[in-house]
Amino acid sequence: MTAVSETIAPAKPMPQRRTNLYFVWCGVLGDPVARVAAAIIILLVLMAIFAPWIAPFPPNEANPALRLMPPGTEGHLLGLDNQGRDILSRIIHGSQLTLISGILPVILGAAISIPLGLIGAWYPRLGEVIMRVMDVLFAFPMALLAIMLAALMGPGLVNMMIALVITLVPYNTRVVYAAARQERELAYVEASRAMATPDLKILFVEMLPNVVAASIVYSCTIVGAVVITAAGLSFLGLGVQPPIAEWGIMTSEGRSFVFVAPHIAAIPGLAITLLVMAFNLLGDSLRDSLDPKTRLTLVKHRPGPGGG
């Protein structure tokens, strides 16, 4: 009896199922470039949240005697603009609307596009209707469609964001639709259908984790274009209205003084570039971390944040 019991090996515990958050944690935090990009984004978000407390001056407080003064002017680290307003203070306060107008429309657009793309890929006839409507919107260039919609609805931050959301939906829907069509033909979907799994469970439990990566990557890379489009709408008087601090408006206001005081346009333009690059680099890392074809290799060969 004892010999038999000794030959029976103890049952091995079932391996723990890893969530997408785990792969994001190991993938992003294990990538030095992604860590820097995430740190930049977090820093800008914190700067926007605490802008009233960390800005040295109110954003619209002007000192005409110091207008066009360069960076390094006493008490004004980044100089002053054409009206004598502190550029550092306007950069800090402008991060609020820049992040809101660049990120929120992308999030809302993805929230609309992901269900549309999944449902369109699962139901072919309904998908044809959805994609033909998207093609009509897709036929217009992003900037032109946003200008047309904003002009119809009138100027203002809310109307500008609605126009940007509508503009982004066809692009993101096409990305999700293409990814979902590929997933629909895979074996695990066929197995779920053979087990009489409800369609909604297949779409939003089985397929969604494998499709959302494409939408997240696209959303991260489109933030820059959205920021630029929002700045263009504000420049045309269809978005954020002066004298509110916003990086796009600051860049547009500084272009008239590019040969006299180039820092007025260069500094907010550099801030936009930094924001866009951070989202692009983070998007590349998120793509590798969320793609089922690469994330296992990524976690295996890339050490975690603790070095393990």
Side-chain angles (χ1 to χ4, degrees), residues 1 13 28 31 47-48 78 80 86 130 179 201 215 254 256 267 293:
M1 184 70 176
V28 174
D31 183 359
M47 184 174 70
L78 299 182
L80 299 97
D86 183 66
I130 293 175
K201 185 176 181 180
S215 179
S256 301
I267 292 175
K293 300 175 183 177

Side-chain angles (χ1 to χ4, degrees), residues 86-97:
D86 183 66
I87 292 180
L88 176 59
S89 300
R90 290 182 63 78
I91 286 289
I92 294 174
H93 282 276
S95 63
Q96 296 176 327
L97 285 181

Side-chain angles (χ1 to χ4, degrees), residues 15-306:
Q16 183 180 3
R17 183 177 180 180
R18 303 298 188 182
T19 63
N20 285 334
L21 183 60
Y22 168 81
F23 290 105
V24 169
W25 178 267
C26 294
V28 174
L29 296 184
D31 183 359
V33 176
R35 288 203 302 267
V36 173
I40 292 174
I41 295 172
I42 293 173
L43 180 62
L44 291 175
V45 171
L46 292 176
M47 184 174 70
I49 294 173
F50 297 103
W53 294 276
I54 63 177
F57 299 96
N60 295 321
E61 181 179 293
N63 186 354
L66 297 178
R67 62 187 302 270
L68 303 180
M69 294 300 291
T73 302
E74 184 178 358
H76 303 277
L77 182 62
L78 299 182
L80 299 97
D81 63 7
N82 58 304
Q83 297 184 28
R85 298 172 295 190
D86 183 66
I87 292 180
L88 176 59
S89 300
R90 290 182 63 78
I91 286 289
I92 294 174
H93 282 276
S95 63
Q96 296 176 327
L97 285 181
T98 301
L99 289 172
I100 291 174
S101 62
I103 297 176
L104 189 56
V106 174
I107 295 175
L108 295 176
I112 297 172
S113 300
I114 291 174
L116 283 178
L118 284 170
I119 293 172
W122 189 256
Y123 302 104
R125 293 185 179 179
L126 182 58
E128 287 294 324
V129 176
I130 293 175
M131 295 312 299
R132 295 297 77 79
V133 174
M134 296 299 109
D135 287 342
V136 172
L137 297 175
F138 195 80
F140 296 91
M142 178 183 293
L144 181 60
L145 180 59
I147 291 172
M148 181 182 67
L149 294 174
L152 290 175
M153 292 184 291
L157 177 62
V158 175
N159 289 340
M160 179 187 72
M161 293 177 64
I162 294 174
L164 292 173
V165 169
I166 296 174
T167 303
L168 290 172
V169 166
Y171 294 87
N172 212 335
T173 301
R174 176 169 289 188
V175 171
V176 176
Y177 178 80
R181 285 288 298 269
Q182 294 178 355
E183 292 293 323
R184 184 186 176 189
E185 305 302 325
L186 297 183
Y188 76 93
V189 176
E190 293 295 332
S192 298
R193 298 178 68 178
M195 296 173 62
T197 305
D199 290 351
L200 291 180
K201 185 176 181 180
I202 295 176
L203 289 175
F204 297 103
V205 176
E206 302 293 339
M207 292 176 59
L208 180 61
N210 299 324
V211 172
V212 73
S215 179
I216 291 176
V217 172
Y218 177 78
S219 298
C220 288
T221 56
I222 203 65
V223 169
V226 175
V227 170
I228 295 172
T229 304
L233 292 175
S234 299
F235 174 75
L236 295 174
L238 299 174
V240 181
Q241 302 295 305
I244 299 175
E246 195 265 342
W247 293 355
I249 292 178
M250 294 172 64
T251 305
S252 299
E253 290 178 344
R255 67 182 186 138
S256 301
F257 305 91
V258 67
F259 296 109
V260 179
H263 65 281
I264 299 177
I267 292 175
L270 183 62
I272 293 175
T273 302
L274 187 65
L275 176 64
V276 172
M277 290 182 61
F279 272 103
N280 287 344
L281 294 173
L282 183 61
D284 290 338
S285 183
L286 286 174
R287 176 195 58 201
D288 296 335
S289 300
L290 293 174
D291 190 344
K293 300 175 183 177
T294 60
R295 63 186 183 183
L296 292 176
T297 304
L298 186 72
V299 172
K300 180 179 179 181
H301 294 285
R302 183 178 291 173

